[in-house]
Every structure is written in structure tokens, then in C-alpha cells.
Amino acid sequence: MKITQIDVFAKNLPMVSGYNMSSSTVGDPDTTVVALRTDTKLTGWGEICPTGPLPQVEHAGSIRADLDLLGPALIGADPLRIGLIHDVMAATMDGGQGARSAVDIACWDLLGKVHNERVCDLLGGARMDPVSTYHVVPIGTPDGSAQLAEQLQEEGHTKLQLKSGGRHIDEDIDAVHAVAKVIRPGVDLFVDCNRGWTVGEAIQVSRACRDLKFDMEQPCATYAECATARTHLHHPLVLDESATDLATIARAISTGVADGFGMKLTRIGGISGMRAVRDLCEASNTPTSCDDSWGGDIIAAACVHVGATLTPRLSRGAWISAPYQAGHYDEEHGPRIVSGMIAVPPGPGLGITIPEGLFGPPIASFS
Ligand SMILES: [Mg+2]
């Protein structure tokens, strides 16, 4: 098989409910969709959608500029030889992990379609279907956050992530106490600061909440700061934004800095990169999630397919942004959450059917 044309599309994803983090409020993310056209009738679909210029290092503009470099280089390459596709991309540019990830996802979609297999089956098979997810409790008042936490547990959610940071830590401490108080047996709580605390603040929050059960996710801005805080914390430390590549993840595991990961698929090289993280975490008995920062049905399907193959007891859940945004690309099989779980799309590849013309004319095309 050969790639004959690559189309790049831009799409606004309208929000239907609020979502905030310590660094930013998410507003109508701008997603980038990649279509790999081939010398067969098959098309592979990939996607990458940062929430905005914060808190990721890449944004829609930088990703599209990267695709301008990668697109011409990939014409004529065989999308089923995914390792060789990564070689072509690595020989074209340094960086550009987001754009490379979108291409990787599209290649896996094609591989599944050619062999009439789901992506999760190409990855070794679904160990969970439906797949557990976690739901975010955005930054809010202690009472409001506790009320939402109760409602989500009522709906069947067994993993909740409370956002924190960006305000005085006393407010965070009050919110953590209020939410932890309503957490039911068997439900996991993660407190995700998205890099919002200093080392001292992270230690103070952990001390003030030392008898409460939760994981502390990415409390500080950098790997070094998280590592410094780690030895003083009373809670397991989960790295997200600082888990930038496989070597860093391996170091965080081997040095005891990280007790788990909140992994973003398009930060680590797409489905291929996330497969490596999955295997490393399984070998080292380390929990991980399988997420992305944002995106439509293509990203959601990629997260659910890989998330289904995680060892269940080490899974921190597969997160999708569907609850916060309007509509689906594929109204029938676009991933959605039902009682805290997400069914794996049943069709070959990612299992998502994209109607031609859905995204309007491409913003770039290479052939
Ligand atoms: Mg996180």
C-alpha cells in the first residue's frame, strides 16, 4: 500500500459544559484531522487536539506547520509499515510529536481496515470492553465539587479526577476534604494540579490531607520539582505533563519518582508510543491511564482501543472529552460514556466512519 495523498482538516469542537484547570479554561478547542489517502479505496484517519496553547507545548498552529513538513515526505510511503513511517518522520524533523502522532493513529486505522481487525485486537486484544474511564470534577467551590462528585458516582463513575491549583492552596485543601468525604468505597480519587503548585505548596496540601486517600497528579511545573516534592508527600505521585517521552517515563519508574502516569497518547507518539508505555508500565507494575488532551471521535477511539488493552488492575482509565463537547463525527459508533464505562467501537481499524465532507475543504493537501 502507498500513501497517495494527505489531507489536513481543521475543526472547531464546541463545548457544552465548562472545564477548567489551574492554568487555563478550555474553550472550543481547535482540532486537526489528518486523512491518509492510499492507492486503495481505504483512508486512514488521525487527529490531534490540544486544549489550546496551555497547558501543552504544542498548539493547532504549530501542529499544522509540522504537518506541512511531514506531509510531502510521506507521499509514496507504505502506511502499513508503521515503524518505517516513523523513520521517515524522524528523518524529516526533530520534535513535532503531535503531528507525528496523528499520522501514527491514521496508519493504525489503515492497518486494522486492511486486516479487518479492530486496533485493540492488533495490539493484543481487549482486556476490558467496555473500558473504565475517569471523570473530571473541575475547579469549583468545596460544596459544588462534592455535589458533582456525588452525582458522578450515582451515574456509575468509579474514578474521579478533581482539578486543583491556580488559587490559594487553602481553597484547594477545603475542596479536597469536601470531595474525599463523599467518595464511596471502591471509588478512586485523583487530585490533578496540572503543574499549579510550588514544591512547598504540594507538600503543604499533602500534609493537610494526609489521612485522605487519593493520588496526587502533576503537582508541580517540572520533573525536577515533582521529584523534590516526592520524598515529602504522603500520597502516591502521578506524572502527566512531565512524562514527555519513554526514556523519562522509564527513569521516573526506576528512580521511584512516579507511582503512576496520566498519559497523553499524542504526547508520546500516538498508538505506537502508548503501546510502549503500556508494556513498560505492565512490566514494572505501574498504573497508567490512556488519555489525550482533547479531541473528537478519532482521538477518543484511539484512546479507548489502547485503553482496552491495559492490564485492568493497572488501568487508571481511558479518558475522552465527549461529555464536554457537542456532537460526534460518527453518531453511531463515536465513543461515549455510559455508567462510567466506554464501549470499544466494533468495526475494523478505529471503528469510526467519517462521512466525506464532514470537515469541509482541507486546509492543506499533499500529493
Ligand atoms: Mg493530568
Side-chain angles (χ1 to χ4, degrees), residues 14 16 297 322 325-329 331:
V16 291
D297 286 339
Q325 64 201 30
H328 285 271
Y329 305 160
E331 284 300 332

Side-chain angles (χ1 to χ4, degrees), residues 51-298:
T51 51
L54 291 170
Q56 298 86 21
V57 294
E58 298 187 297
H59 55 87
S62 69
I63 287 160
R64 291 164 195 171
D66 294 340
L67 286 166
D68 285 343
L69 288 173
L70 295 174
L74 289 165
I75 300 302
D78 181 349
L80 307 184
R81 308 284 184 260
I82 300 176
L84 301 183
I85 289 287
H86 279 276
D87 288 348
V88 170
M89 294 194 286
T92 305
M93 65 179 299
D94 283 329
Q97 207 58 248
R100 292 196 213 189
S101 296
V103 171
D104 177 90
I105 292 166
C107 290
W108 280 95
D109 187 33
L110 277 170
L111 192 62
K113 286 170 174 168
V114 165
H115 294 292
N116 199 30
E117 295 278 2
R118 300 182 300 171
V119 166
C120 64
D121 293 319
L122 297 175
L123 294 168
R127 288 159 157 158
M128 293 171 280
D129 187 6
V131 183
S132 68
T133 185
Y134 65 88
H135 202 290
V136 164
V137 177
I139 293 168
T141 63
D143 285 349
S145 297
Q147 204 174 355
L148 178 58
E150 288 203 272
Q151 180 194 322
L152 291 167
Q153 291 173 93
E154 201 58 47
E155 290 170 12
H157 286 276
T158 58
K159 296 178 175 67
L160 299 182
Q161 186 195 70
L162 174 65
K163 292 294 187 188
S164 60
R167 57 186 179 180
H168 196 280
I169 58 164
D170 288 349
E171 294 179 79
D172 285 331
I173 290 167
D174 287 347
V176 173
H177 275 275
V179 171
K181 208 160 77 177
V182 302
I183 293 292
R184 301 173 184 181
V187 174
D188 296 320
L189 176 64
F190 320 128
V191 176
D192 185 9
C193 196
N194 293 105
R195 305 186 296 175
W197 291 327
T198 64
V199 172
E201 287 172 331
I203 294 168
Q204 284 178 310
V205 172
S206 189
R207 280 185 186 155
C209 304
R210 65 182 300 161
D211 295 327
L212 305 178
K213 183 178 79 74
F214 62 87
D215 289 359
M216 187 179 281
E217 182 167 331
Q218 193 71 41
C220 306
T222 65
Y223 182 97
E225 289 171 31
C226 288
T228 302
R230 176 70 190 85
T231 54
H232 304 284
L233 297 180
H234 301 285
H235 297 89
L237 177 69
V238 171
L239 287 184
D240 180 341
E241 286 89 341
S242 290
T244 50
D245 55 77
L246 206 57
T248 302
I249 292 165
R251 180 159 58 102
I253 293 171
S254 64
T255 56
V257 166
D259 301 293
F261 297 95
M263 276 315 301
K264 301 290 181 287
L265 193 126
T266 58
R267 186 200 296 141
I268 199 76
I271 290 170
S272 301
M274 193 63 218
R275 176 183 58 177
V277 173
R278 175 200 69 179
D279 293 345
L280 184 56
C281 284
E282 185 174 332
S284 58
N285 218 20
T286 306
T288 188
S289 63
C290 180
D291 313 332
D292 216 41
S293 36
W294 213 263
D297 286 339
I298 300 166

